Amino acid sequence: MHSDMNFSDPADDEETIAVLCRGVSKEFGRGDGRTLALRGVDLDVRLGEITLLVGQSGCGKTTLLSVIAGLLEPTAGEVRVLGRDLKDLTGKARVLFRRENLGFAFQQFNLLPSLTAAENAAVPLIAAHVPRREAIARAVELLGKLGMSHRVHSLPNQLSGGQQQRIAFARALIHEPRLIVCDEPTSALDAETGQAVMELLTEIAVRPDRAVVIVTHDDRIFGFADVIATMSDGQIVKVTREKSRRDPVHPSGELAAWNGSEARH
């Protein structure tokens, strides 16, 4: 593996490392049908930063993201997320850990067609047994911060792609996760909408106590990254630190200050 960054001892960076991968491999199938999707991946993802996983289709980006998110178990290697070794979490404990600590945003948005924008955004809170009225109120508040006040009662099929992506981001952020994972969040959007969505994501998601990991092949958004990890054939072949064009991370501004507390009281 070639890298422009040195990997450090996890004990030295316990307070700054959101995700640590060491020697992570993932196999699918058996015998002649065996496929090695990940081949000894090493990666550090730091709090307060956006890390992009980039590379050609089939290089292992989405598999690695799924392993980091605890949706897939690695065949070998170590994965620590927010200080927890994922192999120590099984069954209900892993589900609860993801529900409390991770936010997900996907290329296809995965909005429920029969639910309004506010109801879709509130799903993680409702799943966590927050009273429905409070969950909806918090969703309406956050969607308002995202410029969607006039659309909180709309169904997904009444909204543009950019508006649906905003709902997906609201859903990913509403429970204040410390790790946000996004799979191709802009590839289905035109250039202008994709840029607007990334500007929005960085404004509301990037904080000193939170990390964002994005799988993408959309080079139009590379300028938003702090770190770009390039993958090829199941390996990270290069890790570069970028000079991001977004503002430095600090908890300021109306959106960055939002934590849902207003709606709780």
Side-chain angles (χ1 to χ4, degrees):
M1 178 187 70
H2 303 288
S3 175
D4 295 336
M5 300 176 65
N6 294 321
F7 296 108
S8 53
D9 189 295
D12 296 333
D13 289 299
E14 188 171 343
E15 295 184 357
T16 62
I17 296 293
V19 177
L20 179 145
C21 297
R22 294 292 182 270
V24 175
S25 297
K26 178 61 181 177
E27 295 181 5
F28 294 101
R30 295 181 179 181
D32 293 340
R34 174 176 169 269
T35 300
L36 192 55
L38 298 177
R39 304 168 181 264
V41 169
D42 292 339
L43 178 67
D44 289 348
V45 174
R46 296 182 180 274
L47 294 170
E49 296 185 343
I50 292 178
T51 298
L52 299 189
L53 302 178
V54 307
Q56 298 296 317
S57 297
C59 69
K61 304 186 302 294
T62 297
T63 299
L64 178 57
L65 191 74
S66 298
V67 168
I68 289 171
L71 300 174
L72 287 176
E73 292 191 16
T75 304
E78 178 185 9
V79 181
R80 298 184 69 85
V81 176
L82 303 172
R84 298 293 301 272
D85 190 331
L86 290 189
K87 69 174 175 289
D88 294 336
L89 299 173
T90 58
K92 186 176 180 179
R94 181 173 292 196
V95 171
L96 290 175
F97 180 79
R98 287 200 306 263
R99 181 185 297 169
E100 293 173 0
N101 295 286
L102 274 72
F104 300 86
F106 300 100
Q107 177 181 359
Q108 300 302 324
F109 313 141
N110 293 333
L111 302 179
L112 299 173
S114 62
L115 299 185
T116 66
E119 290 168 336
N120 267 288
V123 163
L125 296 181
I126 294 171
H129 307 295
V130 173
R132 181 180 177 84
R133 178 175 294 183
E134 178 183 350
I136 296 296
R138 287 166 61 180
V140 168
E141 180 191 6
L142 180 53
L143 287 169
K145 304 290 188 184
L146 304 183
M148 291 283 290
S149 294
H150 62 305
R151 288 296 200 174
V152 295
H153 301 299
S154 298
L155 297 174
N157 64 7
Q158 298 170 325
L159 301 171
S160 68
Q163 290 171 331
Q164 291 184 54
Q165 186 61 281
R166 290 182 184 216
I167 299 169
F169 284 149
R171 183 185 57 197
L173 292 163
I174 196 165
H175 58 302
E176 288 292 292
R178 295 187 64 205
L179 176 63
I180 298 168
V181 295
C182 307
D183 191 2
E184 301 284 6
T186 62
S187 63
L189 306 177
D190 60 66
E192 183 178 355
T193 304
Q195 290 290 304
V197 161
M198 284 303 300
E199 289 170 3
L200 180 66
L201 176 64
T202 58
E203 185 175 359
I204 63 177
V206 181
R207 299 190 328 202
D209 61 344
R210 176 184 285 160
V212 181
V213 182
I214 300 175
V215 161
T216 187
H217 66 269
D218 184 357
D219 58 10
R220 301 173 300 181
I221 69 170
F222 284 11
F224 290 94
D226 296 289
V227 173
I228 296 180
T230 303
M231 297 191 68
S232 178
D233 195 25
Q235 296 179 302
I236 292 180
V237 295
K238 187 177 183 182
V239 180
T240 56
R241 180 165 290 279
E242 301 293 312
K243 181 175 175 58
S244 175
R245 65 179 169 221
R246 59 183 170 77
D247 293 334
V249 176
H250 55 85
S252 65
E254 183 182 15
L255 288 179
W258 185 88
N259 62 10
S261 58
E262 294 177 13
R264 295 190 183 102
H265 303 290

